[in-house]
Amino acid sequence: MLVLDIKHLNKHYEHFSLKDVSFQLEKGYIMGFIGINGAGKTTTIKSILNLISMDGGEIHVLGKNITQHEVELKQEIGYAFGDINFYSRSKIKTLTNVVKSFYRNWDDETYRKYLKKFNLIEDKKIAELSTGMKVKYSLALALSHGAKLLILDEPTSGLDPAARDNLLSIFQELVQDGEISILFSTHVTSDLEKCADYITYIHDGQIVNSAEKEAFVDAFRLLNGTKEQLELVKDRLISYKTNSFGFTGLIHTKDFEPSPGIVSAIPNLEEIMIYYSRKEEAYV
Amino acid sequence: MYNLLLKELKLGVNPFFYILPLLTGALMLIPGWLYFLVILYFCFITVPNLFGGYKSQNDLMFTGMLPVAKKDIVKAKVALIVLLELLHIVIAVIYGLISVRLYPNLTYYFFAPSIGFWGLCLVMLAIFNLLFIAMYYKTAYKYGAASIVSITAATLFAGGAEWLGIQSPLVHDLFKGSGADSITTQLSILFACIAIFAIFTFLAYHIGYKRFLKVEI
């Protein structure tokens, strides 16, 4: 079953556009949504939450159209924004008491369980929480109202390695039962290598690829060779860097024909992102 | 809608603004003062601070994420404004009753705290609401221009009303002459003003909602 189904999403701004964004998320999985800053991750997420109006396309959450069933679907969606604070001078207790009144499936017992698990103290103010704790608090709220889809926008940005690892383990635990699905935007690609099942890569408002993690990485090859060899493959490379020894470049696996001397390797997500973002610069 | 209003009362409004009417209301005890100012302090102080708070606490995003209809988001904010306005008026009326008993033989140059005068205050707030709410919901977070325009309009109304009360024999008679003693005249003025307040505020809500639908959160 599809938890999230985005079809041909278009949104135009003066200096930026989302162009024909489409991808799907299966129930019970974690999807990493990657792209450099300004690639359109947050705009896509805002469209999923119906916070901005779409110029074209359709978004279905749990099989229902978000623009038509917004209020009903928001009961099923949990969110955590890594970089936005709400009512940060209020105590956790105060904020929870307000938030819970909006959810028909709110479960106090679950809430207590997660407060304990995440070591959250109710008398603390939001401003007193560390970045990681804030994300955990958002998760505790989302899980207590029985959210089926968690939308996390940069939840791990600004976290130390230990807090990041801890949060990623929590994400994996959450999807274990197959009930909860997570869409997780980040530009820290190493997070996804640890926990994502699917990767969707957005670049300049367009989806480059959305696939299972292994298949996603397998669609690219990182080539190493001499400057002479560069001339042979230059036209087919997505982008490349040269140094005194030769070149390193990214290519679509389908465009790559093995030739003697050129070493090919499977790139990691970060390398794919770096070389993809060099694409425009290369032609300037 | 009810839980949204509770959210505003618990999270959005600093308790100071529930106490403020008691302080501004006490200004009714200044003999023969320009009593429109007592209510105008709500527009001068409470509204800009309240909406500044919403902006700094990212209320728009916070509320936008909740499972609530956009219509109810606007309705709750308008209801909150009306509730606070009524709080200011009711408390000012109580102080006003004390004031007229404290100074029974005072000659009022400006409007005395009569039933009709409270009606005029409602009209002043009606103008304020219409302009502020309609302008605010163009963005649902910028409150500066909306405050300036609505406060200016409300102040001009107050100034104009006081001027007419002094210059126009008809208005003078209604509020300070024989009309002041007629409870029927005073109540008629009040009810007419309540109707204006209700219509303007409903219109404000309606325009605000239409504009809010176009807001990109």
Side-chain angles (χ1 to χ4, degrees), chain A residues 42 45-46 49 51 74 79 81 83-87 153, chain B residues 54-55 57-66 73 140-141 212 216-217:
Chain A
T42 301
I45 284 179
K46 282 186 171 181
L49 296 165
L51 296 176
K74 279 187 177 167
Y79 67 92
F81 297 148
D83 54 349
I84 307 174
N85 294 322
F86 306 112
Y87 291 101
D153 193 11
Chain B
Y54 284 138
K55 188 174 169 180
Q57 301 298 338
N58 288 316
D59 178 80
L60 179 58
M61 188 73 137
F62 177 77
T63 316
M65 298 300 305
L66 292 171
I73 295 178
Y141 73 94
F212 186 50
E216 310 268 284
I217 298 177

Side-chain angles (χ1 to χ4, degrees), chain B residues 103-121:
Chain B
Y103 322 112
N105 301 316
L106 196 71
T107 311
Y108 288 93
Y109 193 65
F110 300 117
F111 289 120
S114 61
I115 296 172
F117 167 73
W118 296 118
L120 291 179
C121 286

